[in-house]
Amino acid sequence: METISSNRPKIVVIGSCNTDMVVKANRLPVPGETILGGTFYMNPGGKGANQAIAAARLGAEVTFISKIGYDLFGLQALEIYRSEKINTEFIFTDQKSPSGVALISVDSFGENSIIVAPGASRSLSTEEINKAEEKIKEADIILMQLEVPIDTVEYAATIANRYGKKVILNPAPASTLSNSFLNNVHTILPNRIEAEMLSGIKVMDVESAHRAAKAIENVVITLGKDGAYVKEKDEYTMIPAKEVETIDTTGAGDVFCGAFSVYLSQGHSLAESVKFANAAAAIAVTRI
């Protein structure tokens, strides 16, 4: 029987802080093409920041470890995190690099295309992780992605493992990861492309997702509108997504990761945590 914690989970998120610049258009351009778009809007983003905010809004006590530039974008982001009741004590400032930005196009079906200029996020160092070691020691879960230097992420996973903490890794953007790094990860949350890079198996459907999952330890392969394929020890489960009217998929994966981490930290299984995360992500795609 599961033991579910009633206390607020403590989650440390280590990742990027960006400003998203988004243009809506009927369709995404092909290489070399210029098209006229419609609505433009700008809001805080970055996988780390998005996941931190999602976890905080779902009731977690969140500490965000990141790096910004000494500029308007970075200062605005700090104010937003504080308004979300996120601990910003370990958001460091790079005096030489600008804050990260992401250029995002969204088509009429809600699908997106994204280019990220990480800026200051790429200078988050192992020394800065050391400064936050006490928070890592106190946390229930450490949630990370790969928009900050991989050496820094690997180092943080080593510290977390030393204290017996669960490390949740969203391996985005896709990258080759060492076995020593993966050995310090409790659960990995790849999409189709990232799962293929980890396993060497192209993920097209449930059968290929099963073969990819067999090659990885605890894993949740997110399949967008098709749901998620879960491997927990020797159990395999396909969990369908909620059917909703999709307006904008931007950030939905990050909402999934934040929600998954909150529910897992409360003592739920991977499958139950995925069902909760699916519901949260389904809400996210119904709005800009």
Side-chain angles (χ1 to χ4, degrees):
M1 185 175 179
E2 292 181 13
T3 301
I4 308 303
S5 171
S6 59
N7 297 326
R8 286 181 70 199
K10 293 183 178 180
I11 296 178
V12 169
V13 180
I14 302 172
S16 59
C17 159
N18 297 329
T19 296
D20 290 349
M21 299 182 183
V22 186
V23 177
K24 292 273 287 184
N26 288 331
R27 61 182 178 82
L28 302 178
V30 298
E33 181 184 23
T34 299
I35 64 174
L36 287 176
T39 306
F40 169 79
Y41 56 96
M42 190 167 68
N43 51 270
K47 290 186 179 296
N50 290 344
Q51 293 176 22
I53 288 173
R57 289 184 179 180
L58 288 164
E61 185 179 319
V62 176
T63 295
F64 184 30
I65 303 174
S66 189
K67 202 160 193 177
I68 58 174
Y70 188 66
D71 52 31
L72 184 59
F73 289 157
L75 296 175
Q76 285 179 332
L78 268 182
E79 289 307 308
I80 289 169
Y81 305 150
R82 288 167 182 158
S83 73
E84 297 283 354
K85 306 296 189 276
I86 292 171
N87 178 12
T88 61
E89 179 183 359
F90 300 104
I91 297 180
F92 303 95
T93 302
D94 187 330
Q95 299 288 340
K96 297 179 180 178
S97 300
S99 297
V101 296
L103 306 179
I104 304 175
S105 303
V106 181
D107 70 15
S108 58
F109 297 101
E111 293 300 324
N112 60 43
S113 177
I114 304 173
I115 298 178
V116 177
S121 293
R122 297 303 297 172
S123 64
L124 184 67
S125 67
T126 56
E127 289 79 8
E128 286 155 343
I129 297 298
N130 281 335
K131 294 177 182 177
E133 183 172 346
E134 197 61 29
K135 282 295 180 184
I136 294 173
K137 183 178 179 181
E138 295 171 358
D140 298 304
I141 279 183
I142 315 300
L143 174 59
M144 305 190 293
Q145 322 78 34
L146 300 176
E147 287 185 337
V148 297
I150 196 162
D151 289 348
T152 302
V153 176
E154 288 186 1
Y155 183 72
T158 301
I159 291 177
N161 188 60
R162 183 189 308 155
Y163 293 117
K165 304 301 177 179
K166 289 179 179 176
V167 173
I168 310 299
L169 177 66
N170 173 215
S175 181
T176 302
L177 305 176
S178 68
N179 287 332
S180 60
F181 180 17
L182 292 173
N183 287 339
N184 288 327
V185 173
H186 177 273
T187 306
I188 191 162
L189 306 177
N191 62 16
R192 297 173 197 262
I193 295 169
E194 295 146 9
E196 179 182 348
M197 182 164 282
L198 289 166
S199 66
I201 296 166
K202 191 173 186 63
V203 177
M204 303 292 291
D205 50 24
V206 173
E207 191 276 331
S208 56
H210 177 79
R211 288 189 289 113
K214 284 184 71 174
I216 312 170
E217 287 304 313
N218 284 354
V219 62
V220 176
I221 301 176
T222 55
L223 303 171
K225 60 183 176 57
D226 295 323
Y229 195 79
V230 183
K231 176 193 175 186
E232 184 169 14
K233 297 179 181 176
D234 295 325
E235 293 186 12
Y236 296 83
T237 312
M238 179 66 204
I239 300 175
K242 305 286 184 183
E243 290 190 17
V244 295
E245 182 182 355
T246 300
I247 303 298
D248 183 3
T249 59
T250 307
D254 296 330
V255 171
F256 182 98
C257 293
F260 174 87
S261 299
V262 170
Y263 218 59
L264 187 70
S265 71
Q266 294 171 331
H268 297 275
S269 67
L270 293 193
E272 289 299 319
S273 299
V274 167
K275 290 176 184 176
F276 180 76
N278 268 351
I283 294 169
V285 302
T286 62
R287 59 197 67 175
I288 294 292

